[in-house]
């Protein structure tokens, strides 16, 4: 079966470096042959150009802020991966909004340069793609603890989402007995660097993790959420530690 690596919201440069860089990119990514890597959105935080109230201690330069996420994509590019999917989340949309509002003359020129990294299949926010028989998107309008279940019900088919920072795996059948799966894989951000949610709630609800899929030739994918526990993760019976 072909391996698929799912990377949930990282919010670079406010990502958990030990989890994303030290564990996933340095240890797990090189350890296996991956057919597909799918970034599930909000890879970039884009805090400096958001409409949120700004904290002076955060990065004020968008170019410096965005360079971190771009550099990490280039790390993935170093590996022989057949299909690389970059799904844009609501945080990536901040760039579109500020260009459309402030400098519409540069809208197309700037977006063409930053939205389409070479070799990556880019999926716009509020759109989706498929890997085998699984729909993959950032979100379909739901958030919070129950959003994976809500997305599965709304989609009516197999679906993997990002956005909610939760790790949820749900399997539901329908009246005809056909079974579908919905999954989200936590996040790869650093809760100590957020300022819009109480850290106690973030520690409770937002789980460090990622996902692995095993894609069969008939399009069926067997999906496994992989929690990161004390900066260790188990993939195919092997323990990887950052």
């Amino acid at each position: 079966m072909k391996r698929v690596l799912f990377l949930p919201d990282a919010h670079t440069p406010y990502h958990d470096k030990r989890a994303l860089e030290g564990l996933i990119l340095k240890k797990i990514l090189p350890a296996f042959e991956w057919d597909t890597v799918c970034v599930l959105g909000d890879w970039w935080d884009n805090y400096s150009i958001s409409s949120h109230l700004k904290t002076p201690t955060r990065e004020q330069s968008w170019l410096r802020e965005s360079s971190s996420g771009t550099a990490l994509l280039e790390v993935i590019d170093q590996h022989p991966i057949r299909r690389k999917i970059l799904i844009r989340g609501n945080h990536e949309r901040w760039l579109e909004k500020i260009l459309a509002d402030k400098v519409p003359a540069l809208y197309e020129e700037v977006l063409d340069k930053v939205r389409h990294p070479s070799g990556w299949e880019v999926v716009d926010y509020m759109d989706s793609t498929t890997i085998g028989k699984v729909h993959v998107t950032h979100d379909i309008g739901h958030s919070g603890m129950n959003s994976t279940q809500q997305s599965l019900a709304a989609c009516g088919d197999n679906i993997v989402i990002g956005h909610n920072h939760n790790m949820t795996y749900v399997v539901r059948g329908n009246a005809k007995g056909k079974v579908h799966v919905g999954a989200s894989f936590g996040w790869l951000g650093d809760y100590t660097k957020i300022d819009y949610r109480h850290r106690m709630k973030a520690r409770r609800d937002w789980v460090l993790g990622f996902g692995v899929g095993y894609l069969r030739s008939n399009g069926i994918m067997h999906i496994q959420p992989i929690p990161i526990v004390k900066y260790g993760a188990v993939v195919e019976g092997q323990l990887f530690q950052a």
Side-chain angles (χ1 to χ4, degrees):
M1 292 183 286
K2 297 178 179 178
R3 294 185 185 88
V4 180
L5 178 63
F6 293 101
L7 300 178
D9 308 36
H11 293 270
T12 62
Y14 309 111
H15 56 290
D16 190 307
K17 293 184 178 180
R18 190 174 173 187
L20 178 53
E21 298 182 37
L23 179 61
I24 295 176
L25 297 186
K26 289 185 179 180
K27 300 289 184 67
I28 294 171
L29 185 64
F32 301 99
E33 181 178 337
W34 301 98
D35 176 79
T36 301
V37 170
C38 180
V39 173
L40 290 169
D42 287 357
W43 185 254
W44 291 273
D45 190 78
N46 285 331
Y47 178 87
S48 61
I49 57 173
S50 73
S51 63
H52 299 312
L53 183 66
K54 303 298 187 296
T55 301
T57 55
R58 282 205 182 193
E59 179 58 68
Q60 301 298 307
S61 165
W62 177 76
L63 285 175
R64 287 196 297 267
E65 181 187 26
S66 62
S67 64
S68 172
T70 302
L72 293 177
L73 289 185
E74 291 172 353
V75 173
I76 298 174
D77 287 337
Q78 297 171 10
H79 298 272
I81 298 161
R82 182 186 65 84
R83 186 182 183 194
K84 294 177 292 185
I85 304 170
L86 177 61
I87 296 174
R88 302 177 68 245
N90 52 298
H91 278 253
E92 276 85 23
R93 210 175 194 188
W94 284 119
L95 182 59
E96 288 184 15
K97 290 181 178 179
I98 196 169
L99 287 172
D101 183 41
K102 303 298 182 183
V103 281
L106 295 178
Y107 185 88
E108 292 295 336
E109 181 179 352
V110 173
L111 286 183
D112 282 344
K113 291 180 179 179
V114 302
R115 288 176 61 190
H116 299 289
S118 178
W120 287 80
E121 173 188 336
V122 178
V123 179
D124 284 334
Y125 182 55
M126 299 183 71
D127 201 355
S128 65
T129 188
T130 56
I131 306 174
K133 295 183 178 181
V134 178
H135 299 273
V136 186
T137 188
H138 183 64
D139 71 85
I140 57 172
H142 305 286
S143 60
M145 293 296 293
N146 297 315
S147 56
T148 305
Q149 293 93 323
Q150 292 169 331
S151 299
L152 175 60
C155 177
D157 206 347
N158 305 305
I159 188 168
V160 165
I161 64 170
H163 189 57
N164 60 19
H165 300 183
N166 303 321
M167 182 168 286
T168 307
Y169 182 88
V170 55
V171 179
R172 293 286 184 271
N174 59 20
K176 296 181 179 180
K178 189 173 183 179
V179 175
H180 296 110
V181 61
S184 58
F185 304 117
W187 79 322
L188 293 165
D190 184 346
Y191 76 89
T192 67
K193 296 179 180 177
I194 64 171
D195 57 7
Y196 52 88
R197 185 179 178 88
H198 196 290
R199 289 180 179 176
M200 183 184 295
K201 291 184 177 179
R203 288 196 300 268
R204 179 194 67 191
D205 298 335
W206 296 356
V207 178
L208 286 174
F210 58 98
V212 172
Y214 297 96
L215 183 63
R216 293 162 56 178
S217 59
N218 60 4
I220 293 174
M221 189 189 306
H222 299 266
I223 298 171
Q224 296 180 356
I226 309 292
I228 296 174
V229 181
K230 294 184 178 180
Y231 293 102
V234 175
V235 181
E236 298 187 15
Q238 299 182 54
L239 173 62
F240 297 88
Q241 190 76 45

